[in-house]
Amino acid sequence: MIGLISATAAGAAARDRLAAAWPDRTRVYEGPVGDAVRTAFAQCEQLVCFLATGAVVRLVAPLLSGKTEDPGVVCVDEGGRFAVSLLGGHAGGANELAREVGDLLGAEPVVTTATDAVDLAGLDTLGLPVEGDVAGVSRALLDGEAVALRAEVTWPLPPLPVSEEGSYTIRLTDRLVEAAEREVVLRPPTLVVGVGASKGAPVEEVLGLVEVALREAGLSVASVAELATVDAKAEEAGIVGAARRLGVPLVTHSAEELAGVDVPNPSDAPLAAVGTPSVAEAAALVGGGELLVPKRKSAASPAMGTCAVVRRPGRGRLAVVGLGPGARDLLTPRAQAELRRASVLVGLDQYVDQIRDLLRPGTRILESGLGAEEERARTAVEEARKGQAVALIGSGDAGVYAMASPALAEASDDIDVVGVPGVTAALAAGAILGAPLGHDHVSISLSDLHTPWEVIERRVRAAAEADIVVTFYNPRSRGRDWQLPKALGILAEHRTPATPVGVVRNASRPDESSRLTTLGSLDPATVDMMTVVTVGNTATRDIAGRMVTPRGYRWQSAQEGSE
């Protein structure tokens, strides 16, 4: 919960805007400001104070207990110009909260945390349990000192300026080790614990079994990703309670699925009880991995619990990111977040240039020129298979005539794939022209480099006969100058010469140009590869210089009848 505190009418107005926008996230604290701050500090995970920073400093100073315990505090000035991350920038989430508050109120977020200020991923913001000298290693990274990365397990990390050797160390491990001097230990969730239990097994027995098995194997409980068991035990109190106490999800599998897993220690007892010769080992191994702890029983007599531990291989991450049509403000926040998260960026050189300034220091850039689409797709997948966090970029939406198709054709289920949508050229051009895509529409690429012209022509003819608005991508190049006239001729067999046609070049970019013409007047020689051509259907109209396709023919008839 976010506590909201204000002292003046202007502050209360801004406070109420936040409360209205986030009704489920916020709570307004009335009354004397000092009392309100003290109460909210004790009750809330975060605070937004519409007060001077000096006043808030004096009020919260006696309340501070520690970096990991204190709530995040953001201050908004009387004029609503700045949202200042004052306390708990990372641990309390105040840096991100300042950005959210700034977006909502139109205020500039002020973040002074050193790593954020230079766009370096904070070691305590990676979503992994972290131990050791976070401050010292972070300072070394900021100062450009050599920091070594010792990755004992594979896990996709954001870009970090690390080297093979250094006097400071970041250790990525699921082993039960203590951080050495000048070392940070990051613990990725690589371990799956399979559990089985007799009916009525106490939670203390199941939990104790898991903790002892991990400790004796030299594994950290902080790296447990999930507890896994058979469906029949999904509501077994001891297993459910153990997962809750460990703070991990309980994942269940059918007996049939577990029975198909090859295990070293099958047994007749679980086969008779729940229909599979193995619960603990099979549940741990069902997703693959290395069996680190074979099935073992709890120490109680009689033993009511079993467990096994598997290390699953770290999965690389491939984000296929659409950059939009070119304008920075049409690049989505999600796309920007993926660019900042990626340790490896793969893309066409001219697209890389568009977003190079958004990348974090240490991002490895693999760029290539036109015509290397399949090579880029293979490279991106190969890097993800190495356990990297990869962003593969494309213009518009990466799934529309762009990089998603060749990349996913190369990818298998051994990596995680995330699609990030972008504003397409057709949508950007449509917004410039007016509303040409207000009813059914289709996009067709006229490039026959990868698709036979016979197929393209069949699709154009089908769209023409179906009276569908058509947007042509890749309409004309120096080496392909006859396809657009041919396609327009096919459409002209079913539409009048007065049919509106929109031509947009470099939509949303500084040299953007657009014009509205007709099917009978369009000169194909004025079109190039940077252009999209949108041809209306029989209902599309030029209204006040804008290309408009009615949402429905009934609506159009009603409009015409009223004239």
Side-chain angles (χ1 to χ4, degrees):
M1 186 62 65
I2 303 171
L4 305 180
I5 303 104
S6 62
T8 66
R15 175 203 68 191
D16 291 344
R17 286 176 61 190
L18 278 189
W22 300 336
D24 299 327
R25 297 177 61 190
T26 58
R27 179 187 302 161
V28 173
Y29 286 80
E30 304 278 8
V33 169
D35 294 341
V37 169
R38 283 187 287 272
T39 304
F41 199 91
Q43 295 179 347
C44 299
E45 292 82 20
Q46 295 174 320
L47 279 68
V48 179
C49 299
F50 297 86
L51 305 165
T53 54
V56 177
V57 167
R58 286 190 293 272
L59 288 170
V60 303
L63 310 176
L64 302 180
S65 59
K67 182 176 180 178
T68 59
E69 293 83 20
D70 296 330
V73 178
V74 170
C75 290
V76 178
D77 66 289
E78 182 75 4
R81 295 172 300 171
F82 304 103
V84 182
S85 174
L86 184 69
L87 178 69
H90 284 167
N95 292 348
E96 183 58 33
L97 180 59
R99 296 185 181 100
E100 290 187 82
V101 171
D103 286 342
L104 193 77
L105 299 181
E108 182 178 349
V110 179
V111 176
T112 58
T113 307
T115 51
D116 289 68
V118 298
D119 208 17
L120 181 69
L123 297 175
D124 53 352
T125 67
L126 304 182
L128 303 178
V130 57
E131 304 167 14
D133 187 10
V134 175
V137 175
S138 297
R139 182 200 56 76
L141 290 170
L142 289 166
D143 290 346
E145 297 187 43
V147 177
L149 175 64
R150 293 177 55 193
E152 298 174 10
V153 293
T154 301
W155 198 259
L157 294 175
L160 293 168
V162 294
S163 56
E164 293 185 1
E165 300 292 337
S167 56
Y168 292 83
T169 305
I170 299 172
R171 186 175 182 183
L172 189 68
T173 184
D174 55 16
R175 306 297 303 179
L176 186 60
V177 296
E178 291 187 5
E181 186 179 358
R182 295 187 170 190
E183 182 177 68
V184 162
V185 175
L186 297 174
R187 301 196 182 280
T190 57
L191 304 178
V192 177
V193 181
V195 291
S198 304
K199 184 175 178 59
V203 63
E204 289 78 9
E205 182 175 344
V206 177
L207 180 63
L209 169 64
V210 171
E211 292 177 337
V212 169
L214 291 167
R215 184 170 61 251
E216 292 184 355
L219 301 170
S220 172
V221 69
S223 283
V224 175
E226 64 186 50
L227 258 58
T229 191
V230 67
D231 284 346
K233 297 296 180 179
E235 298 182 5
E236 185 64 49
I239 296 176
V240 172
R244 185 180 299 116
R245 296 263 287 273
L246 289 169
V248 299
L250 176 62
V251 178
T252 63
H253 305 279
S254 68
E256 181 180 10
E257 184 179 13
L258 296 185
V261 178
D262 186 27
V263 298
N265 300 293
S267 173
D268 292 335
L271 180 62
V274 294
T276 173
S278 172
V279 172
E281 287 182 340
L285 284 166
V286 69
E290 177 187 4
L291 184 63
L292 302 179
V293 179
K295 182 181 72 175
R296 61 181 292 169
K297 297 180 179 181
S298 56
S301 184
M304 301 184 72
T306 60
C307 82
V309 183
V310 163
R311 176 187 289 137
R312 286 187 182 170
R315 292 172 63 87
R317 189 175 190 275
L318 173 61
V320 187
V321 180
L323 300 180
R328 179 58 59 85
D329 58 354
L330 291 181
L331 177 67
T332 67
R334 186 179 300 181
Q336 294 188 51
E338 288 294 346
L339 294 176
R340 290 164 53 79
R341 176 173 182 166
S343 59
V344 179
L345 182 87
V346 181
L348 179 66
D349 48 13
Q350 63 189 50
Y351 297 154
V352 172
D353 289 340
Q354 291 179 23
I355 48 83
R356 197 181 297 270
D357 63 302
L358 297 178
L359 304 177
R360 279 183 157 148
T363 303
R364 186 156 56 94
I365 300 173
L366 305 176
E367 55 187 313
S368 52
L370 288 168
E373 288 83 1
E374 293 181 358
E375 178 187 342
R376 284 194 290 274
R378 284 193 295 270
T379 297
V381 171
E382 288 170 2
E383 291 294 328
R385 285 185 175 138
K386 296 176 184 177
Q388 301 288 342
V390 182
L392 174 63
I393 59 174
S395 66
D397 183 287
V400 179
Y401 303 123
M403 294 304 303
S405 295
L408 298 191
E410 290 285 337
S412 52
D413 63 358
D414 57 346
I415 61 173
D416 295 324
V417 178
V418 177
V420 182
V423 178
T424 67
L427 294 178
I432 294 166
L433 294 169
L437 309 182
H439 207 287
D440 298 337
H441 54 275
V442 63
S443 295
I444 299 176
S445 171
L446 294 183
S447 172
D448 56 1
L449 295 177
H450 300 288
T451 305
W453 174 253
E454 293 75 14
V455 175
I456 297 172
E457 181 174 338
R458 188 165 66 246
R459 292 169 180 172
V460 174
R461 195 169 299 281
E465 294 174 352
D467 196 28
I468 296 175
V469 175
V470 181
T471 296
F472 289 122
Y473 280 71
N474 306 312
R476 184 177 180 273
S477 68
R478 293 179 180 177
R480 293 186 304 99
D481 59 0
W482 60 267
Q483 287 90 341
L484 179 59
K486 177 68 173 177
L488 295 174
I490 294 171
L491 292 177
E493 295 173 11
H494 300 270
R495 302 177 196 184
T496 70
T499 301
V501 175
V503 180
V504 180
R505 188 177 190 278
N506 284 333
S508 87
R509 300 186 184 186
D511 56 347
E512 168 192 300
S513 63
S514 66
R515 68 184 189 278
L516 186 56
T517 182
T518 65
L519 186 57
S521 301
L522 175 62
D523 179 3
T526 62
V527 174
D528 62 13
M529 285 289 286
M530 306 304 293
T531 307
V532 290
V533 178
T534 300
V535 182
N537 64 13
T538 57
T540 305
R541 297 290 182 266
D542 178 344
I543 301 176
R546 302 180 185 92
M547 188 176 179
V548 180
T549 301
R551 288 180 59 192
Y553 285 46
R554 293 178 181 177
W555 175 85
Q556 180 195 20
S557 299
Q559 288 291 104
E560 292 176 347
S562 65
E563 293 178 354

